[in-house]
Amino acid sequence: MSQFDTGYYGGNGGAGGGGYLQSPFSASGSPSGGRQRTEIQESLRSLTIAQLNKASQLHSEADWKVDDMEIGQVTVVAHVVSMQTQTTNTVYVLEDGTGQIEARHWIDEGTGSRLGDIKENRYIRVVGLLKVFGKKRYINVSLVRGVEDPHEIYFHMLDAISTTLTVERGQTSMTSPSKAALASPGMSAYSATNSVHQDQLAHFQGLNRMIMQFILEQPPTDEGIHVAAIAKAIGPSGYDPKKISDALDELMDQGHVFTTIDDSHFNPSM
């Protein structure tokens, strides 16, 4: 039976679905617990399991590094080889074709299990922090949900590859305005940047595209764009706050945006 049967396309029932995400980027979820959040700890990077298994750490309190680049939050799309549900947590053994790793999702006190339709032999997306215990590394999960569309699997792998190449080689002319473009007659810095934005938005559709376009068009700041500003700009197009909230959830799940000073301010990851 194909892995993309009706069971694979089941509902989006994973833990953490709906509303604005809070746990993936809360201060308590940072690698050092109580210390002040940093830009690295707030970042979200798509990685393969092989990259996580090769990640290095200078000491137990240091940030993890992949290809000599510090990482904070990580996201993986993988096949659930097995899962073990206990009173306080659920442990997944994940496989993505490049390797295996465990992911541990702690159940919030008072909320109970929220596994939804997550089962063995399904693909899921997890977001969390890379941890190690007893010389065995695992993902400390803050968000887990089922993958409904097989294209998300392919997109994740391509996103991981693209990010790694950007880290290794730097941004290309496809991701930043070239000097030649800015110097071209009749082309302002704004129009060149806007052209780059259109390239970045090529694979987005509908509401997600509108949100990303609005965020990318704002002047870059450390604080990010408040959700109220996003809703004010997008709302007149006929989208209610709930749909905008769900779209931001999805964009954050996929690693396109991340929260900054609090759970209501967003910056683009691209």
Side-chain angles (χ1 to χ4, degrees), residues 173 176-196 199:
S173 58
S176 61
S178 66
K179 292 180 180 178
L182 294 179
S184 298
M187 176 170 281
S188 65
Y190 172 79
S191 60
T193 303
N194 188 57
S195 177
V196 172
D199 290 337

Side-chain angles (χ1 to χ4, degrees), residues 63-103:
D63 291 317
W64 287 92
K65 288 187 175 183
V66 172
D67 301 324
D68 293 324
M69 175 68 70
E70 292 88 352
I71 59 172
Q73 299 276 345
V74 300
T75 181
V76 170
V77 173
H79 178 255
V80 180
V81 176
S82 66
M83 57 185 291
Q84 181 180 3
T85 303
Q86 304 173 8
T87 304
T88 58
N89 64 85
T90 299
V91 179
Y92 307 93
V93 176
L94 303 179
E95 162 72 48
D96 70 349
T98 71
Q100 286 191 357
I101 195 170
E102 285 190 358

